[in-house]
Amino acid sequence: MSITLLYFGVLKDTLGCSTEMLAWDGGTTATLLDLLRGRGEEWAQALAPGKVFRLVVNQQIVRGDAAIPDGAEVGILPPVTGG
Amino acid sequence: MYCDITVQTATFDLGAEELALRAHAGDAGALVAFQGMVRAHDEAVPLAALFLEHYPGVTEAEIRRIAEQAAARWPLSACRVIHRVGALAPGEPIVLVLIAAGHRAGAFAAAEYLMDYLKTQAPFWKREDFVDGSSRWVEAKASDDAACGRWHD
């Protein structure tokens, strides 16, 4: 049971990784954020509530808490700055 | 509405894109084109390049969703959006929005709506690479959010 995490923009630099496989016992996007914030001060600050723009589960932008199925691709998106 | 969305590293040609879109625009009476260019900025250290990143698949789908919202507000015939990613030098074109519509009011409004939402909703991230070798990820601008907010009225 695992999921793939993709990090974008400034998160790649602050967290020092762009993609990772994570063991996953099931849960939601809130479960995942709690787990990542528990990795230490750097992670807790980078992924503080209000800083994470959006999560994407299997290419679908998530609004609110959402289930993450086994094998999912989860994108973690900082605030966007395009155009 | 005909709608063609592309995210690419290559540059684009406004004239060629306009010709291509007109083939799908029916008897539209208006065609509005917006092209955005990379600014050199007025910081202490000059900009060497902008580096843009996107989320393949998700970014294109989000732009399409924004275009469909525009088509629900104004009667549009066709739209073409190109957004570039990768390293872009100052002066290079970065984004193209073409809107064909029956009348000019809808074409102007939809082009502006699309640009406001592209800047605030579409998953793109910009990094400024300076000539002295330093770089910095751009932070979201409150002015862009304000421009986008006016469409909620």
Side-chain angles (χ1 to χ4, degrees):
Chain A
M1 301 272 278
S2 68
I3 56 177
T4 304
L5 303 184
L6 306 177
Y7 300 93
F8 291 88
V10 69
L11 287 177
K12 272 190 199 176
D13 289 353
T14 51
L15 301 177
C17 85
S18 59
T19 178
E20 67 170 308
M21 291 280 281
L22 184 74
W24 187 244
D25 296 329
T28 67
T29 48
T31 320
L32 174 66
L33 284 173
D34 282 347
L35 193 154
L36 295 176
R37 286 169 186 148
R39 283 177 167 178
E41 192 55 30
E42 214 161 51
W43 288 74
Q45 276 190 17
L47 302 176
K51 273 205 173 172
V52 176
F53 174 67
R54 265 171 200 169
L55 294 185
V56 174
V57 178
N58 289 331
Q59 301 262 315
Q60 294 295 315
I61 293 176
V62 167
R63 292 172 170 83
D65 201 17
I68 300 177
D70 182 34
E73 173 192 286
V74 181
I76 302 180
L77 282 49
V80 305
T81 51
Chain B
M1 176 189 64
Y2 171 84
C3 182
D4 189 9
I5 312 282
T6 309
V7 178
Q8 63 188 40
T9 53
T11 192
F12 52 80
D13 181 77
L14 174 58
E17 294 300 333
E18 185 201 315
L19 262 183
L21 190 73
R22 284 173 62 179
H24 299 278
D27 70 341
L31 193 150
V32 164
F34 173 84
Q35 179 173 294
M37 276 84 65
V38 177
R39 276 181 295 115
H41 290 260
D42 48 2
E43 317 253 349
V45 185
L47 193 72
L50 263 191
F51 179 85
L52 272 100
E53 182 181 56
H54 77 303
Y55 191 159
V58 174
T59 301
E60 290 88 341
E62 187 67 3
I63 297 173
R64 185 168 296 276
R65 188 182 68 82
I66 295 163
E68 281 164 5
Q69 280 178 1
R73 294 178 75 120
W74 300 281
L76 307 179
S77 310
C79 101
R80 173 78 169 118
V81 177
I82 301 177
H83 205 303
R84 294 180 66 197
V85 291
L88 305 176
E92 284 194 60
I94 176 170
V95 60
L96 176 73
V97 170
L98 292 180
I99 303 280
H103 301 277
R104 70 179 183 279
F108 276 127
E112 195 162 28
Y113 179 93
L114 242 82
M115 273 312 302
D116 285 347
Y117 273 83
L118 272 175
K119 293 198 77 115
T120 54
Q121 307 277 307
F124 288 101
W125 299 279
K126 260 183 202 161
R127 191 185 67 212
E128 294 172 324
D129 295 341
F130 298 102
V131 293
D132 66 358
S134 65
S135 67
R136 176 182 70 191
W137 286 96
V138 176
E139 288 183 22
K141 266 189 274 177
S143 62
D144 286 336
D145 285 337
C148 205
R150 73 197 153 117
W151 297 107
H152 293 309
D153 308 335

